[in-house]
Amino acid sequence: MDKNFYLKYAAVEDQHWWFVGRRQIVEKLIRQLKLPNNAKILEAGCGTGGNLSMLARYGEVAAMEFDETACQLANERQVTTVRQGSLPDQIPFNDQYDLIVILDVLEHIDDDLAALEALSSRLKPNSWLLITVPAYQFLWSYHDEINYHKRRYTLKRLKRVVRLAGYSIGYGSYFNTWLFPLVAGVRLLKNLLKLDKKSDASGDLNLPAKLINKFLTFLFASERYFMNRVSLPFGVSVALMAQKNQSKL
């Protein structure tokens, strides 16, 4: 993605309902883990760094990012030193971590199995991997193309590749469920009418009007009260928590 895309990404990441809602859902899942004091946390593929301050509340954070522009923007937050790196072969850290988060990154990687295996080598025994990915191949749109996605996932497919990489599944669920009918309807209609490529490629990053953004944030983030209690049956995204060297559930 070009520099202008990342600049826009960084400008809205702290306010846009999707980023804020996902961050609150991820934080809720992290709280359930009861990480040790001064936990070591790695975010693999941190983008422009919008999650780093939240993660820093739960331990010592390290972060890596493939894109040079995004890496620079993430470092401007001055939460941690973000290093350039990529999965599976260029992880710029040799430490062992209590938690690794990889949020909407796995779908960008050609060999997702190799990436998950590489991350396992950086986890302490019985420590955790938290993943989010976009859901359902039938929702594929120009949004996926301009973001260089390789695939979208079902929960079943994500569980399969995570197990193949040697993890035990702790909790998995779809999320962004309440807004699924709206998002699916809009994307399918655009695909049917071939409107998607005519639209602004960065349109999904436009910040809605304040009241609408606040309402969408509330609606999306409210799903966190269900997360780790029940597995939501469908959604625009998938979340999965997996553990290294733990008996399978």
Side-chain angles (χ1 to χ4, degrees):
M1 290 177 282
D2 63 28
K3 182 176 181 179
N4 288 333
F5 184 93
Y6 280 114
L7 289 171
K8 187 167 186 178
Y9 194 103
V12 303
E13 194 174 12
D14 294 334
Q15 304 172 61
H16 192 286
W17 66 268
W18 188 87
F19 295 106
V20 176
R22 185 189 65 169
R23 193 153 47 242
Q24 291 185 27
I25 288 169
V26 167
E27 183 170 18
K28 177 70 171 181
L29 293 174
I30 291 173
R31 285 177 182 169
Q32 306 300 317
L33 298 178
K34 297 180 180 179
L35 295 172
N37 294 331
N38 301 316
K40 293 180 69 67
I41 301 170
L42 170 66
E43 184 172 13
C46 70
T48 58
N51 302 310
L52 296 177
S53 292
M54 179 272 289
L55 293 172
R57 292 198 284 267
Y58 299 93
E60 178 187 345
V61 178
M64 57 180 276
E65 167 56 39
F66 172 73
D67 184 86
E68 182 179 0
T69 298
C71 192
Q72 291 173 351
L73 291 167
N75 273 313
E76 288 176 6
R77 294 178 178 271
Q78 299 183 344
V79 177
T80 187
T81 300
V82 180
R83 300 182 186 178
Q84 274 194 273
S86 63
L87 292 169
D89 300 323
Q90 297 179 22
I91 300 177
F93 303 100
N94 294 315
D95 293 342
Q96 298 284 295
Y97 295 93
D98 298 290
L99 170 66
I100 296 177
V101 296
I102 177 169
L103 306 178
D104 290 87
V105 171
L106 201 60
E107 68 273 12
H108 295 267
I109 299 171
D110 287 313
D111 192 339
D112 53 357
L113 176 59
L116 292 168
E117 290 173 337
L119 291 174
S120 178
S121 71
R122 300 300 197 276
L123 280 169
K124 298 176 183 178
N126 299 318
S127 51
W128 291 93
L129 176 71
L130 196 164
I131 307 169
T132 65
V133 291
Y136 298 125
Q137 199 64 28
F138 74 81
L139 290 181
W140 185 271
S141 69
Y142 191 53
H143 168 87
D144 296 282
E145 294 178 21
I146 63 169
N147 284 283
Y148 301 107
H149 291 175
K150 309 298 181 181
R151 68 196 76 80
R152 298 177 73 95
Y153 290 82
T154 61
L155 178 57
K156 182 178 180 180
R157 178 178 181 176
L158 183 59
K159 284 182 175 180
R160 185 188 307 121
V161 70
V162 168
R163 285 194 177 105
L164 285 173
Y167 297 85
S168 302
I169 305 301
Y171 169 77
S173 177
Y174 292 96
F175 68 105
N176 204 351
T177 298
W178 310 155
L179 292 168
F180 177 81
L182 176 62
V183 174
V186 169
R187 289 202 179 179
L188 291 174
L189 184 62
K190 282 186 174 182
N191 288 342
L192 180 66
L193 299 178
K194 303 185 184 301
L195 295 176
D196 224 6
K197 292 187 179 183
K198 298 177 184 178
S199 63
D200 177 10
S202 61
D204 287 344
L205 294 179
N206 291 334
L207 194 65
K210 186 175 181 179
L211 286 178
I212 295 174
N213 190 62
K214 186 175 181 179
F215 172 73
L216 291 174
T217 301
F218 168 79
L219 188 63
F220 183 20
S222 70
E223 295 180 11
R224 70 189 185 276
Y225 297 113
F226 298 89
M227 303 296 284
N228 217 29
R229 296 182 180 183
V230 298
S231 181
L232 298 175
F234 58 86
V236 184
S237 299
V238 181
L240 188 70
M241 297 163 65
Q243 197 168 19
K244 180 177 178 177
N245 295 339
Q246 182 93 340
S247 59
K248 293 183 180 180
L249 301 178

